[in-house]
Amino acid sequence: MRNSPRRTRTGVRTQTRAAALCTVLLLAGSVAPAIAAAPGGTVTTADAPTSGRGTLVSADFLYSLEKPEDVTAWLTSAEFDAGTVRYGVDAYRLVYRTVDPYGRPTTASGLLVLPRGGEGRLRPVSFTHGTGSHKDDSPSKQTGGFLPAPPVTYASAGYAGIAPDYLGMGVGPGPHPWMDVPSETTASLDMLRAARAFTPRTGRTLDREVAVTGFSQGASAALGLARALQSGEDRWFRLGALAPVSGAYDFGGAELPALLAGELETKSSVLYAAYTLVAFNRLHHLYDSPAEVFQAPYAATIEALFDGAHTGRQLMEGTPDTLDKLLTAHGRDLLAHPTGPMAAALRTTDDVCDWAPRVPTRLYMASGDEQATVTNTAHCRTALARHGVAAPVVDLGAVDYNGSRHLGSNVRATAAVVRWLDELR
């Protein structure tokens, strides 16, 4: 994948029905039942090399769900399907070396969840999560609920659940380069490498074939990782299956037009428009002053809200209820009719489906998605078809999670992907 700034996706929760949109942004991270505390904390890696992408820096044992019934209770409390649970699980936070959007060395973190039992050689499932604003809106920083539920589900079914936090999230330094598929790809690939380095310490090894999935923002990240694996960017891992969920795959051609036309939930549209301009400006220099694209009084405070230290609630309270109150005429025009650096960035954002996966591939979506217009999935399917790939679209139906079909699609798709992967074995 390219090493220049680029891409992303969806996923948010709020406080009422309008608050259910910014999902990851307001996650509380409550501890679910029957979690055994980490015995002593860190699995030391003090002798780890000091350079090299994917090099393991540290591994912290976070918690155990020792029995299948513990996992069932945990997933049920998170409102996820526990029907595929076969094992208890152990969860670890890995910190590893990777690169930033400019190719400079940095570190990132992620969640590794392993089954307690089953085979010694585990098939890895890479899950890339939806949008968050606070650093703690990350799989490895939550001990219960929406974010870690997918990797816990995969591990409890006998797979190795591997979930990168992304750059700037979890315990990684700096701001999160939201919408940047190339750095999502490198962070995800290097998380796989770190997991492979760590897993033998538990008496297990990782298989070569990776099942790749992800939700919302993570759906595009999943496609980026899948393409990197298929093109041979890692000497060990290769692509085994691909199942993205509810992505904004055509961000410039479908998502932004739907957002600006008022076809999506209003408050989530405000947040995504703001995040897009702030995050893209950090990498592509779209404007010299926030006042060029944001109206007063928000121009004075909007960039600080996306610094990784502000919560979803603060984001909700610090932004207006409509795009007309948020954007200047120039800000709206930049999203509606992108030119220059914005257009170049969107070309990278929007090519995630423009290739031919040579493995079983499915696209999951939910009818009536209020955050990621389903036109994205239609465009992705068409792009894959141009390359000779007939990817089935699985409509998850009228799902709901805290008033959101978008979030509900992640809940319902997780166990559905497990069952599909089991069929492929």
Side-chain angles (χ1 to χ4, degrees), residues 47-411:
D47 57 348
T50 57
S51 64
R53 283 182 48 188
T55 296
L56 188 65
V57 175
S58 65
D60 291 315
F61 177 49
L62 299 178
Y63 53 86
S64 288
L65 299 164
E66 297 181 352
K67 301 175 183 178
E69 50 266 39
D70 296 334
V71 182
T72 295
W74 191 97
L75 288 173
T76 300
S77 72
E79 301 181 43
F80 275 69
D81 183 351
T84 61
V85 173
R86 294 193 287 272
Y87 305 100
V89 301
D90 295 320
Y92 304 84
R93 179 189 299 119
L94 305 186
V95 177
Y96 57 96
R97 300 192 182 280
T98 186
V99 291
D100 71 8
Y102 305 101
R104 300 174 301 204
T106 188
T107 59
S109 59
L111 179 66
L112 171 66
V113 191
L114 301 176
R116 296 172 64 89
E119 300 177 3
R121 191 180 185 92
L122 302 173
R123 186 179 187 186
V125 178
S126 174
F127 172 80
T128 38
H129 65 85
T131 296
S133 62
H134 194 282
K135 284 180 177 288
D136 288 353
D137 298 333
S138 310
S140 82
K141 293 290 284 183
Q142 303 287 330
T143 57
F146 190 83
L147 280 166
V152 167
T153 299
Y154 296 123
S156 69
Y159 299 90
I162 302 171
D165 292 334
Y166 303 138
L167 295 181
M169 302 293 281
V171 299
H176 171 50
W178 193 71
M179 309 282 284
D180 188 44
V181 168
S183 66
E184 291 168 358
T185 299
T186 53
S188 299
L189 181 57
D190 293 342
M191 175 66 186
L192 281 172
R193 292 165 171 160
R196 184 186 175 212
F198 172 75
T199 301
R201 302 178 188 206
T202 70
R204 306 293 188 80
T205 58
L206 295 185
D207 193 11
R208 297 187 69 183
E209 290 197 351
V210 183
V212 176
T213 182
F215 163 67
S216 195
Q217 172 186 356
S220 288
L223 282 156
L225 173 62
R227 183 156 51 178
L229 290 171
Q230 182 166 287
S231 67
E233 290 194 20
D234 187 79
R235 294 181 179 179
W236 172 257
F237 291 114
R238 61 192 180 200
L239 182 62
L242 176 58
V245 181
S246 299
Y249 313 107
D250 189 2
F251 194 71
E255 185 69 10
L256 288 179
L259 178 155
L260 292 170
E263 297 172 6
L264 304 176
E265 203 285 325
T266 305
K267 186 65 176 187
S268 61
S269 295
V270 168
L271 294 173
Y272 288 134
Y275 211 171
T276 299
L277 291 170
V278 170
F280 272 54
N281 188 61
R282 288 171 180 161
L283 295 179
H284 306 283
H285 190 69
L286 307 179
Y287 55 81
D288 292 322
S289 166
E292 296 173 28
V293 294
F294 299 113
Q295 294 195 48
Y298 308 105
T301 57
I302 196 76
E303 291 187 329
L305 289 175
F306 293 99
D307 63 359
H310 285 74
T311 66
R313 186 173 301 278
Q314 289 172 312
L315 258 178
M316 294 292 296
E317 295 172 351
T319 51
D321 293 331
T322 67
L323 287 171
D324 287 341
K325 294 179 180 178
L326 174 73
L327 300 174
T328 64
H330 176 60
R332 178 178 279 273
D333 192 59
L334 196 56
L335 297 176
H337 307 289
T339 59
M342 183 69 171
L346 288 173
R347 280 195 293 272
T348 300
T349 299
D350 297 343
D351 77 347
V352 291
C353 297
D354 193 16
W355 61 292
R358 297 190 296 270
V359 298
T361 300
R362 284 186 173 185
L363 304 174
Y364 290 82
M365 49 77 72
S367 299
D369 190 319
E370 81 287 354
Q371 292 188 46
T373 175
V374 295
T375 305
N376 285 293
T377 300
H379 287 188
C380 185
R381 185 184 189 185
T382 299
L384 293 172
R386 286 198 300 267
H387 293 273
V389 176
V393 172
V394 179
D395 189 339
L396 298 160
V399 295
D400 179 89
Y401 180 88
N402 287 356
S404 169
R405 287 195 181 183
H406 184 63
L407 305 186
S409 68
N410 186 41
V411 173

